[in-house]
């Protein structure tokens, strides 16, 4: 098949930048995207293009490296569903650790001196010279093999024509070293795809962090996927209008976004108290309709603690659960804290797919048998943890025992892989801080372990946070109060980028509001401006998409 004849799989509608990424030849690509943009499907479609058009010619193969077992399996299953079996057999999908241990087992003779290994070496918690290596040594040993043996490196490079890197924003130093040792400076083309939690909008192709390093090292073309396909059509049309303004080539014709699903409300009020009263009723209606409070977010560009005071007062009086993420500081957004809270959520008896998913990646073994043993140990540990919570649900001390038990089960060395800035000391420090935080919530609110974990973790109430903290998250319903010049000020790029982040967090319902007068809340600075002006430059994107319009 000629490259010009290739079309995406039936039922797959690629946005312009995704189509460019799929068809790219002769270059590497750095593809950044927000939630719901279809990153895994993009890689599956790119594999289809490369294999079906001969851009990956026989006997070359495609190597895909993911961070989690389920992600690697999901990508492989997608490719098998998209291309013929004889082509799919040339697609290899591994995690970083699975890829590394394959290199070690196949080329262990390339290791020498202190790192030399016997043929029957094992993997365990401690290093035993020649006989046993630890999980943490997989990547460094694989890199050493590639650095010290030109024949092995040549064999690897002759095997693959293309490499995919999924969830690339989580790449650690060891993982990136392995990639550069293996493929930098070759004719192999890499496609790195990742979530843009640090920078939602790649304005003019701007990249940050690991993506910027990758683009420089591999001369990669920067592409950004904007369309959140989890949002209902009315919300997608609003987002697409902003995309057309910010990155015209990435927008799709509006008539391609069909359907009337989703709601957008645009409201103007005389005072902030009136705005808060309306917002409270809007939240209550959605909770009554069955949306969990934790799936409702109220986003402010700045100072959510000040701007949310009228709303928080009403939520508190009504007994509706809420959590002010700004007050929680950064502890609960640490990767380790999220995993710990996922465990505690399950230990208190809650059923949460997201919590299970957070744990599953930590149970990966070097092969299917070891992964099975890890899952079996996890199941036994979770049953014991649930029994302990049910007996001592009001005892603060049980929290520390649960967290210590979880660390012992998973291994502090494994937990350090959650962030490039972690070592075992940091793992212990964050665990102690989280234990203390949960116990403080229990003491201050009179709730039990389940209630405290629910407030901090995967349950919780209505989320009140800054737009910046919402990056990478999605909610069924999102409210963006104070869409005013006094809130959205500064250079146009940062203003529109922040607003796009806010409106693209919503999947089903979006409320945009402003007020003509905002009385200074408790703790407001002297520079607080009571008189307000609606920011029509932002609100206009919702015009004709909602039930009415506010006067200018």
């Amino acid at each position: 098949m000629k490259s010009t004849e290739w079309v995406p799989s039936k039922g797959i509608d690629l946005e312009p930048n995704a189509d460019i990424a799929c068809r790219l030849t002769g270059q590497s690509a750095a593809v950044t995207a927000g939630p719901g943009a279809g990153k895994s499907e993009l890689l599956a479609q790119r594999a289809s293009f490369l294999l079906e058009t001969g851009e990956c010619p026989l006997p070359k193969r495609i190597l895909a490296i993911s961070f989690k077992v389920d992600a690697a399996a999901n990508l492989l299953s997608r490719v098998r569903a998209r291309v013929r079996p004889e082509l799919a057999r040339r697609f290899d999908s591994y995690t970083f650790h699975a890829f590394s241990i394959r290199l070690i087992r196949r080329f262990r003779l390339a290791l020498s001196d202190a790192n030399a290994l016997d043929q029957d070496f094992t993997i365990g918690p401690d290093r035993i010279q020649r006989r046993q290596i630890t999980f943490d040594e997989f990547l460094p040993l694989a890199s050493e093999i590639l650095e010290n043996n030109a024949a092995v490196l040549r064999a690897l490079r002759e095997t693959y024509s293309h490499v995919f890197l999924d969830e690339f924003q989580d790449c650690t130093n060891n993982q990136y070293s392995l990639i550069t040792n293996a493929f930098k400076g070759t004719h192999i083309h890499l496609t790195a795809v990742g979530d843009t939690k640090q920078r939602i909008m790649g304005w003019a192709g701007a990249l940050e962090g690991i993506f910027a390093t990758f683009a420089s090292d591999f001369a990669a073309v920067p592409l950004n996927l904007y369309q959140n396909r989890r949002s209902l059509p009315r919300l997608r049309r609003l987002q697409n209008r902003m995309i057309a303004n910010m990155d015209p080539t990435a927008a799709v014709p509006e008539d391609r976004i069909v359907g009337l699903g989703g709601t957008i409300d645009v409201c103007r009020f005389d005072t902030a108290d009136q705005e808060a009263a309306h917002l409270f009723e809007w939240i209550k209606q959605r909770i009554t309709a069955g949306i969990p409070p934790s799936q409702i977010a109220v986003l402010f560009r700045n100072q959510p603690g000040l701007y949310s005071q009228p709303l928080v007062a009403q939520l508190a009086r009504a007994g509706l659960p809420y959590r002010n993420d700004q007050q929680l500081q950064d502890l609960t957004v640490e990767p380790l804290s999220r995993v710990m809270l996922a465990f505690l959520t399950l230990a208190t008896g809650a059923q949460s797919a997201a919590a299970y998913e957070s744990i599953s990646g930590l149970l990966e073994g070097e092969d299917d048998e070891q992964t099975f043993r890890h899952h079996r140990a996890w199941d036994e540990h979770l049953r014991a943890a649930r029994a302990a919570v049910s007996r001592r649900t009001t005892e603060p001390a049980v929290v520390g025992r649960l967290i210590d038990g979880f660390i012992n089960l998973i291994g502090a060395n494994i937990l350090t892989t959650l962030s490039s800035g972690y070592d075992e000391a940091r793992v212990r420090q964050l665990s102690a801080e989280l234990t203390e935080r949960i116990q403080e919530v229990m003491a201050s609110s009179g709730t039990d372990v389940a209630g405290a974990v629910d407030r901090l973790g995967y349950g919780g109430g209505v989320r009140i946070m800054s737009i910046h903290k919402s990056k990478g998250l999605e909610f069924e319903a999102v409210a963006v109060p104070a869409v005013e010049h006094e809130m959205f000020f500064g250079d146009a790029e940062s203003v529109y980028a922040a607003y796009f982040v806010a409106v693209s967090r919503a999947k089903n319902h979006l409320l945009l509001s402003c007020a003509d007068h905002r009385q200074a809340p408790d703790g407001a600075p002297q520079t607080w401006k009571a008189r307000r002006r609606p920011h029509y430059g932002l609100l206009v994107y919702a015009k004709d998409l909602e039930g009415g319009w506010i006067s200018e």
Side-chain angles (χ1 to χ4, degrees):
M1 178 190 299
K2 295 181 180 178
S3 298
T4 55
E5 297 173 345
W6 179 84
V7 294
S9 302
K10 186 177 180 180
I12 301 299
D13 180 24
L14 297 174
E15 64 178 275
N17 279 357
D19 192 67
I20 292 171
C22 286
R23 300 173 187 272
L24 194 65
T25 59
Q27 283 183 287
S28 295
V31 184
T32 55
K39 296 180 287 293
S40 296
E41 188 57 48
L42 164 68
L43 291 177
Q45 293 301 314
R46 176 147 178 77
S48 169
F49 171 81
L50 295 172
L51 293 167
E52 291 179 355
T53 64
E55 290 293 335
C56 174
L58 276 169
K60 298 288 188 179
R61 307 176 68 85
I62 299 172
L63 171 65
I65 304 181
S66 302
F67 285 78
K68 297 180 180 179
V69 174
D70 53 353
N74 173 51
L75 183 54
L76 180 60
S77 67
R78 284 177 184 264
V79 172
R80 287 175 173 171
R82 306 293 186 266
V83 301
R84 301 189 305 276
E86 65 271 20
L87 297 177
R89 282 193 286 270
R90 290 163 51 210
F91 185 83
D92 298 330
S93 185
Y94 306 114
T95 63
F96 267 103
H97 285 92
F99 175 66
S100 298
I101 195 62
R102 287 176 66 88
L103 285 176
I104 295 169
R105 291 195 182 284
R106 185 174 179 183
F107 302 112
R108 65 178 179 80
L109 293 178
L111 296 169
S112 59
D113 300 328
N115 287 333
L117 293 173
D118 294 336
Q119 182 176 1
D120 59 348
F121 75 90
T122 60
I123 299 165
D126 302 307
R127 177 65 185 269
I128 302 175
Q129 191 164 4
R130 301 193 66 90
R131 294 169 50 199
Q132 183 168 284
I133 62 174
T134 67
F135 189 81
D136 286 346
E137 292 178 292
F138 284 14
L139 278 86
L141 290 177
S143 288
E144 180 180 327
I145 289 172
L146 298 180
E147 289 171 356
N148 297 338
N149 194 298
V152 173
L153 184 61
R154 185 167 55 252
L156 177 66
R157 291 174 171 179
E158 290 178 353
T159 300
Y160 298 106
S161 66
H162 293 80
V163 176
F164 296 171
L165 303 170
D166 195 10
E167 298 296 340
F168 189 63
Q169 77 281 348
D170 293 326
C171 192
T172 65
N173 291 336
N174 281 341
Q175 290 163 343
Y176 192 66
S177 293
L178 180 64
I179 294 300
T180 54
N181 287 337
F183 305 114
K184 186 178 178 181
T186 70
H187 294 295
I188 298 170
H189 301 303
L190 284 68
T191 303
V193 177
D195 200 17
T196 52
K197 293 179 182 176
Q198 298 306 313
R199 182 178 175 87
I200 293 292
M201 300 298 298
W203 286 78
L207 296 171
E208 293 182 349
I210 190 65
F211 274 100
T213 302
F214 170 78
S216 175
D217 288 342
F218 291 90
V221 176
L223 294 166
N224 199 351
L225 304 186
Y226 301 92
Q227 302 283 345
N228 183 350
R229 298 180 182 277
R230 296 173 194 163
S231 295
L232 292 184
R234 187 174 273 114
L235 283 75
R236 282 195 62 201
R237 283 194 283 276
L238 184 155
Q239 297 164 22
N240 190 60
R241 289 177 179 181
M242 293 200 69
I243 294 166
N245 179 56
M246 298 181 294
D247 190 352
T249 61
V252 302
E254 192 160 304
D255 58 10
R256 281 178 53 183
I257 307 175
V258 298
L260 298 175
T263 67
I264 299 176
D265 297 304
V266 182
C267 303
R268 181 177 180 177
F269 302 95
D270 290 334
T271 68
D273 287 341
Q274 292 173 356
E275 178 190 59
H278 181 86
L279 178 52
F280 169 77
E281 292 297 330
W282 184 86
I283 291 171
K284 190 167 67 171
Q285 288 171 9
R286 274 138 191 84
I287 293 175
T288 301
I291 297 178
S294 60
Q295 277 297 303
I296 301 173
V298 183
L299 307 181
F300 298 91
R301 189 187 183 200
N302 298 306
Q303 300 175 305
L306 297 178
Y307 279 86
S308 66
Q309 286 182 21
L311 173 62
V312 165
Q314 297 207 39
L315 292 172
R317 282 196 299 269
L320 290 182
Y322 69 92
R323 52 177 285 185
N324 190 325
D325 283 41
Q326 197 71 13
Q327 294 175 348
L328 293 176
Q329 304 300 327
D330 295 323
L331 176 60
T332 58
V333 299
E334 285 279 353
L336 177 67
S337 296
R338 302 306 298 163
V339 168
M340 294 288 191
L341 287 168
F343 162 63
L344 293 171
T345 296
L346 299 173
T348 57
Q351 299 296 321
S352 169
Y356 274 108
E357 183 178 344
S358 295
I359 302 296
S360 63
L362 298 173
L363 304 177
E364 173 191 346
E366 62 170 297
D367 52 34
D368 291 342
E369 181 181 351
Q370 188 177 62
T371 299
F372 173 77
R373 291 200 303 270
H374 288 175
H375 277 274
R376 186 171 57 186
W378 156 252
D379 290 340
E380 293 174 356
H381 185 83
L382 182 58
R383 281 195 294 271
R386 284 175 169 170
V389 172
S390 65
R391 292 193 304 268
R392 302 179 177 87
T393 187
T394 60
E395 297 179 16
V398 75
V399 177
R401 291 195 290 271
L402 287 170
I403 288 179
D404 287 343
F406 180 73
I407 294 175
N408 292 334
L409 172 74
I410 301 297
N413 60 328
I414 301 299
L415 294 173
T416 61
T417 65
L418 292 170
S419 172
S420 58
Y422 288 172
D423 55 21
E424 292 197 20
R426 180 62 173 160
V427 167
R428 297 292 180 182
Q429 176 191 0
L430 287 173
S431 300
E433 291 177 2
L434 183 62
T435 299
E436 184 178 353
R437 174 63 58 79
I438 295 171
Q439 291 171 340
E440 287 175 355
V441 172
M442 291 178 68
S444 62
S445 62
T447 188
D448 59 7
V449 175
V453 170
D454 191 55
R455 291 193 180 197
L456 295 174
Y458 283 80
V462 175
R463 303 282 294 275
I464 300 172
M465 66 178 75
S466 67
I467 292 172
H468 176 75
K469 283 187 176 291
S470 75
K471 292 181 179 181
L473 303 177
E474 288 181 323
F475 303 93
E476 293 294 323
V478 170
V480 188
V483 185
E484 301 149 1
H485 284 279
E486 292 74 18
M487 173 68 91
F488 287 87
F489 60 88
D491 65 278
E493 180 176 305
S494 61
V495 166
Y496 281 81
Y499 188 67
F500 183 84
V501 170
V503 299
S504 61
R505 302 308 90 201
K507 293 192 288 186
N508 294 337
H509 307 281
L510 178 65
L511 171 64
L512 307 170
S513 64
C514 57
D516 294 334
H517 185 273
R518 291 188 181 276
Q519 182 177 350
D522 293 341
Q526 292 184 347
T527 55
W528 182 273
K529 296 180 180 179
R531 296 294 301 172
R532 298 291 172 128
R533 297 167 296 154
H535 199 312
Y536 287 107
L538 301 177
L539 294 171
V540 71
Y541 291 106
K543 193 171 185 178
D544 303 323
L545 295 178
E546 44 80 52
W549 187 243
I550 60 176
S551 59
E552 298 190 26

